[in-house]
Amino acid sequence: MVGQNRRVDLKDADTAIRQARADIDFLSVLPAQAAQAVLKTYHRAWRNCWDGRVKKPVFKSRIRSTMSVDVPQGRNLNVVRVHRRWGMVNVPKVGRVRFRWTRDLPVGKYANAENRITGARLVKDALGWHIAFRVQALESAPGSHRGAEVGIDVGVTIPLALSDGNHQDHGRLTKTESGKADRDKWLDSKEKAKLLRLERQAAQRKQHCEPGQSVSRRLHHTYDQIRGLRARATRRHQDWQHKTTTALAQQYAIVVVEQLTITNMTRSAKGTVAEPGRNVAQKAGLNRAISQEAWGQTVTMLAYKLAQRGGTLVKVPAPGTSQRCSECGFTTPGSRMSQATFVCKKTGCGFTANADWNAARNVLHLYRIGLVAVPAAGRAVVRRVRRVKPATAR
């Protein structure tokens, strides 16, 4: 028995799962590697909690979690490419399954000790079952990047505003008849009409459900259709993010972004009963728009794609970047006219520009003067560093 005051080691947990497989019939049918992979994920979550990185893991229902099964051993997958669009894989306890071939995999004559498939994961979402392969690949060290340096300001009007004017816009900022921002901007008109019809059906059918009564199959089917449309919109947004960040990583050597705390930016403005908030509906719409743009995911993609190509991602402190005039360098109250317009109120300046572009220029200016935000112990520490321009940069 493990001591009550001692943290359970992964070896002890593995022994427990082996005993459970011997005692419980349905666990013995499950592949041993899949059960061990779930156990390792759970153990890793507790290790992150003990180290103070995240909160302790809690129970998640199957509705709020993504169903997934690991296949840790890649040698049993036997991946074969049938033709250009399709491939075949051997899934344990299932057999040969066809999957859509979306990117190159080291199979056949291209597989060796350095480049091979080490495992896979089966994932089920609102659009069906998918398989993701883990690939071990030997990559050469990236050379020096010959691109320029650029500052980026993330926003809602312009998703990625660049300091050189090469703004990245997905062209999806549409408005409804009431003038509010469209929260389903990644769906076309037919899909929006279908989503509205399904949401009305779900609301109508939910009225007939008594408290504590099980939900009907029709309502479950309606919820599945709504989740499918939402997942399709999310996938289109992620596709735009990947293509855009790849193009930026190929073009620029140094990308400078703001050190943002998105959780604080999307905090509700309801307030309390004693002190109710103001403009709650407008703030809720802004929070929804920020969450849909997924700024943190965009920065994460930029970081690893720049590292693969020899580039660098730098973060600078965010306060003051939207109020400062990038032309004269002064911060004058009232210069930020609106969400999209900046007009410098300093006497003799009168610089007028897009507010996001002005902020992107200020972001790059902070990097050039050496003001860099360095993450330390869960908080951002601002340090002034000496910037050395690479000899190969243009």
Side-chain angles (χ1 to χ4, degrees):
M1 296 294 293
V2 179
Q4 186 176 2
N5 296 327
R6 187 172 70 86
R7 293 176 178 174
V8 178
D9 195 358
L10 187 59
K11 183 178 179 180
D12 301 326
D14 187 44
T15 304
I17 200 66
R18 289 177 183 271
Q19 184 64 33
R21 285 175 55 82
D23 298 337
I24 304 175
D25 294 336
F26 76 89
L27 280 180
S28 61
V29 178
L30 182 70
Q33 294 80 10
Q36 291 171 356
V38 174
L39 199 61
K40 289 179 181 178
T41 304
Y42 183 66
H43 184 265
R44 191 183 307 114
W46 274 109
R47 297 296 287 179
N48 293 334
C49 175
W50 295 333
D51 295 339
R53 289 192 289 268
V54 296
K55 296 181 180 179
K56 67 177 183 180
V58 296
F59 173 76
K60 287 185 178 181
S61 65
R62 65 180 181 87
I63 298 177
R64 298 191 297 112
S65 58
T66 302
M67 186 184 300
S68 62
V69 179
D70 268 2
V71 185
Q73 294 182 353
R75 63 175 181 270
N76 298 329
L77 293 174
N78 191 17
V79 181
V80 177
R81 187 166 190 173
V82 179
H83 52 80
R84 184 173 62 89
R85 292 188 176 183
W86 295 95
M88 297 289 291
V89 60
N90 185 31
V91 179
K93 304 299 180 181
V94 177
R96 300 293 291 173
V97 178
R98 189 179 69 165
F99 67 95
R100 187 65 178 265
W101 198 284
T102 57
R103 59 183 304 175
D104 294 334
L105 294 172
V107 296
K109 63 179 182 180
Y110 301 103
N112 50 47
E114 289 81 14
N115 301 284
R116 57 190 178 90
I117 298 175
T118 59
R121 170 174 288 188
L122 298 173
V123 182
K124 184 182 181 182
D125 60 6
L127 297 177
W129 282 97
H130 312 277
I131 184 168
F133 295 96
R134 289 191 299 271
V135 178
Q136 173 184 319
L138 183 63
E139 296 183 357
S140 58
S144 58
H145 203 300
R146 292 184 168 272
E149 55 190 20
V150 67
I152 296 181
D153 177 73
V154 292
V156 177
T157 306
I158 300 178
L160 297 177
L162 275 62
S163 57
D164 60 357
N166 185 21
H167 306 319
Q168 303 297 316
D169 187 7
H170 46 58
R172 294 280 181 171
L173 188 62
T174 57
K175 292 186 177 181
T176 58
E177 295 179 357
S178 61
K180 297 181 180 180
D182 189 2
R183 65 191 183 101
D184 302 316
K185 55 190 174 184
W186 291 97
L187 300 176
D188 57 27
S189 58
K190 292 184 179 180
E191 291 169 338
K192 290 178 184 178
K194 182 179 179 180
L195 179 61
L196 180 61
R197 176 175 55 82
L198 291 173
E199 288 178 341
R200 288 176 176 174
Q201 285 182 359
Q204 184 179 9
R205 290 170 179 171
K206 192 176 181 181
Q207 292 178 352
H208 300 283
C209 296
E210 299 293 336
Q213 182 184 2
S214 60
V215 181
S216 64
R217 291 186 178 181
R218 286 186 176 182
L219 185 55
H220 269 304
H221 180 63
T222 305
Y223 283 152
D224 291 339
Q225 289 179 302
I226 293 175
R227 281 192 290 266
L229 289 174
R230 298 290 187 193
R232 189 177 303 174
T234 301
R235 184 167 297 182
R236 290 171 182 172
H237 183 209
Q238 291 178 349
D239 178 71
W240 177 85
Q241 281 183 312
H242 275 290
K243 292 178 179 178
T244 304
T245 52
T246 300
L248 293 176
Q250 293 174 348
Q251 184 176 358
Y252 299 102
I254 298 176
V255 176
V256 189
V257 297
E258 296 174 301
Q259 179 79 25
L260 297 175
T261 307
I262 302 177
T263 54
N264 295 339
M265 298 175 62
T266 57
R267 191 167 294 172
S268 176
K270 289 184 178 180
T272 60
V273 178
E275 296 181 359
R278 297 184 303 174
N279 299 327
V280 178
Q282 291 85 344
K283 185 63 168 63
L286 179 61
N287 294 346
R288 186 164 51 244
I290 293 175
S291 301
Q292 282 185 342
E293 291 298 334
W295 294 341
Q297 187 176 6
T298 302
V299 173
T300 302
M301 291 180 183
L302 272 175
Y304 78 80
K305 291 181 180 181
L306 282 166
Q308 290 176 348
R309 294 163 176 81
T312 306
L313 180 75
V314 182
K315 295 184 179 182
V316 297
T321 55
S322 60
Q323 286 82 21
R324 176 184 178 274
C325 177
S326 59
E327 187 70 18
C328 65
F330 282 88
T331 301
T332 309
S335 296
R336 183 70 182 263
M337 302 295 294
S338 64
Q339 187 70 24
T341 307
F342 180 89
V343 179
C344 183
K345 297 297 183 179
K346 180 179 177 295
T347 305
C349 180
F351 176 70
T352 303
N354 179 272
D356 296 331
W357 177 59
N358 178 74
R361 294 180 63 182
N362 290 327
V363 168
L364 182 60
H365 170 74
L366 291 179
Y367 165 72
R368 287 177 173 173
I369 64 175
L371 204 61
V372 178
V374 181
R379 56 190 179 90
V381 179
V382 179
R383 295 181 182 177
R384 188 176 295 275
V385 299
R386 181 182 178 185
R387 188 178 69 92
V388 180
K389 190 173 183 181
T392 56
R394 293 183 296 180

